[in-house]
Each structure stands twice: as structure tokens, then as C-alpha cells.
Amino acid sequence: MSDHAAFFYGTLMAAEVFFTVCYRSSNENVSFLKSLHDFKPAILHGFCRRRVKDADYPGIIPDKDHEVRGMYVTGLTDANMHHLDIFEGTEYERQTVKVRLLSKVGDDKGRGNIEGEEVECEVYVFKDPNQLEDREWDFKEFRKHKMKKWTREDYGFDDTDHFAPQHVDSDEKQAAVCYFI
């Protein structure tokens, strides 16, 4: 059981989505699961984030003139990485990168960010730039309008702006379920 770290810049920045992907069938107490991982704001230089065409999620591609703000997550096991690899699918390639932890998070344009320690981690890079729109993906829009389709109904966290756990119908649950064949 290895200890991995990853940089998430899209749907997985939401703890509710992360825990759904990594622990979808777990019966463990949510507080215990939360204690296994540390989420810290970070920035990845040399990449840009774009919305994937006809999708709720983004992709990143190399671009020396841009940077991407996201979450650096530690405490990932080999099993977590396996679930993440399946979730990301063939559209993405896992790569090792260096990100800078943010000791202070600025506004959406990055004004006011204060960068700290540089750390190595893994990130999922989108393989086909032609499938990306020419616009930034909007995390706030995702949280408000799409996130409930991506999470277990019992994974609402007090320290997020996510709505309290609520009923999700079976069609909406399908978006968060991954079948092993």
C-alpha cells in the first residue's frame, strides 16, 4: 500500500466527488475517511484548464503561459489510484508534475495568491486538445448545477458549500457509478 499524492483541478476538487470515486462502496464513517486525506490549495504552472466539449468536467493540457489552481491531496493508496484511473478513463494520462502549495488563495484570476512549498504529485492530463472548448471550466457552476449527479447522496460535508445530503434518483446516481466488467 503506497502513499500517493495528486493534484485535482476539476470535479475531484469537490471532496464529495473525491470520496464518491474512491470510497463509493465503503461503509466506513465519513469522518474516518476524511481523516485519511489532506486537501490543500495548490497551483500547477505550465498548463491550462478547459471545459471538455459536451461534458460537465474539464481537462488540462500543457501551456507555458497559463497556470491551473486546484487541490493537492495526500494519503492516496494504490487502491485509491486504481479507482481514480478508472474514473478518469482513457481520455486522460496520469503524469508526475510539481505543484506549488498556496499559503494564501487569491481571487479567481489568481491575484493575491501566495505560493509556498513545491511538491511532486500526479495529475491527469487530457489527451485530445481538439475535444476541449476554448473557455475555462467553471467550478462554481459545477457545484451549483451538476455536482449532485456526481456524488453519493450521503457525502455532504459541513465544511463545504455543498448542500446537505438529499435524495438522488436512480438516473442521477448512474452518473457517479462505475461498473467493473
Side-chain angles (χ1 to χ4, degrees):
M1 182 158 105
S2 295
D3 190 33
H4 298 270
F7 177 77
F8 300 127
Y9 56 85
T11 61
L12 291 163
M13 288 192 304
E16 299 87 345
V17 176
F18 169 80
F19 284 101
T20 297
V21 170
C22 290
Y23 299 102
R24 81 176 39 84
S25 59
S26 175
N27 292 323
E28 289 288 342
N29 178 286
V30 173
S31 296
F32 171 73
L33 295 176
K34 284 175 65 176
S35 74
L36 301 176
H37 305 284
D38 192 19
F39 287 70
K40 294 179 180 174
I43 196 154
L44 173 62
H45 291 280
F47 285 83
C48 71
R49 172 179 39 214
R50 295 287 181 255
R51 183 183 171 111
V52 175
K53 291 178 183 175
D54 302 316
D56 295 340
Y57 52 87
I60 61 168
I61 54 173
D63 184 330
K64 64 179 176 61
D65 296 325
H66 287 87
E67 58 193 32
V68 177
R69 191 168 66 188
M71 296 300 289
Y72 171 76
V73 179
T74 59
L76 300 170
T77 64
D78 290 339
N80 294 146
M81 297 308 295
H82 174 74
H83 288 291
L84 291 164
D85 287 344
I86 290 169
F87 175 75
E88 297 294 0
T90 59
E91 291 181 303
Y92 296 85
E93 176 182 22
R94 187 174 6 141
Q95 296 181 6
T96 300
V97 295
K98 291 186 179 180
V99 299
R100 290 239 174 230
L101 301 180
L102 292 176
S103 56
K104 181 180 177 194
V105 177
D107 64 18
D108 286 343
K109 302 284 186 202
R111 292 182 298 257
N113 283 345
I114 298 178
E115 296 182 23
E117 178 186 2
E118 183 177 66
V119 292
E120 190 173 271
C121 60
E122 298 176 79
V123 69
Y124 291 90
V125 177
F126 201 71
K127 291 181 180 179
D128 186 359
N130 294 323
Q131 292 301 310
L132 298 176
E133 295 180 6
D134 191 25
R135 69 179 178 120
E136 172 71 83
W137 179 78
D138 188 330
F139 183 61
K140 289 178 185 175
E141 176 185 328
F142 170 76
R143 285 186 76 85
K144 185 174 182 181
H145 299 291
K146 307 286 185 181
M147 189 166 78
K148 73 177 185 173
K149 296 178 182 179
W150 291 74
T151 60
R152 274 180 43 168
E153 60 191 66
D154 58 339
Y155 280 167
F157 295 104
D158 293 335
D159 59 347
T160 69
D161 59 353
H162 181 54
F163 42 81
Q166 59 182 304
H167 174 74
V168 179
D169 65 38
S170 61
D171 289 340
E172 292 176 321
K173 284 183 185 178
Q174 284 305 115
V177 175
C178 178
Y179 293 101
F180 294 94
I181 299 173

